[in-house]
Amino acid sequence: MTMRAKTALKIVDEDHQQMEATILEASKQAAPMVQRLATHRDRIDLAIKELESERFELISRRDHLRRQAEAVDQGFAMHIEDIEATLKLYEGGLNSIAVTH
C-alpha cells in the first residue's frame, strides 16, 4: 500500500483511498466465506449421494426379499395342492373299497 500511496495521483483524495482499502479488506473476508460455502455444498452433495446410494440398496434388498417371499408362497401353494391331491386319492380309494365284516 505504501507503493500505491507514492504513485497515487494527487486528484484522488483520501476518502477514495480509504474506500479502496475497505473494499480490499472486504474481498479478503469474502474469500473464506465462499470457501466455507463451497465446503458445505460439497458436504451436502456427498450426503445426498450417500443417501441415494443407500436408497438404491434398500430398494434392491426390498425387491429381492419380495421375490423370495413370492417363491416361498408358490412353494407352499404347490405343497398344499399336492397334499390336497393326495388326500383326494386316499379318500377316493377308501370310499371305493367295500367294507365287509
Side-chain angles (χ1 to χ4, degrees):
M1 198 64 138
T2 57
M3 288 294 284
R4 182 123 178 120
K6 290 180 185 175
T7 59
L9 297 174
K10 296 289 181 191
I11 55 172
V12 178
D13 58 353
E14 300 230 358
D15 288 338
H16 178 72
Q17 288 178 350
Q18 187 178 10
M19 286 195 305
E20 185 179 349
T22 304
I23 291 171
L24 284 173
E25 184 64 30
S27 69
K28 290 177 185 175
Q29 292 175 2
M33 281 195 294
V34 170
Q35 185 178 8
R36 284 196 308 262
L37 287 173
T39 301
H40 287 301
R41 185 190 63 223
D42 292 344
R43 286 181 187 164
I44 290 170
D45 287 345
L46 181 63
I48 288 171
K49 288 178 183 176
E50 287 175 356
L51 287 171
E52 287 174 345
S53 175
E54 187 175 346
R55 178 181 169 269
F56 177 76
E57 181 183 340
L58 287 173
I59 289 172
S60 296
R61 289 172 64 188
R62 180 194 65 188
D63 292 344
H64 181 68
L65 287 172
R66 184 177 291 143
R67 287 191 300 270
Q68 285 181 329
E70 288 172 358
V72 168
D73 188 45
Q74 286 177 352
F76 282 145
M78 289 172 52
H79 192 64
I80 290 170
E81 288 174 7
D82 185 46
I83 290 172
E84 288 174 349
T86 305
L87 281 173
K88 284 182 184 177
L89 283 175
Y90 288 160
E91 288 171 351
L94 287 178
N95 290 336
S96 65
I97 297 176
V99 179
T100 56
H101 286 63

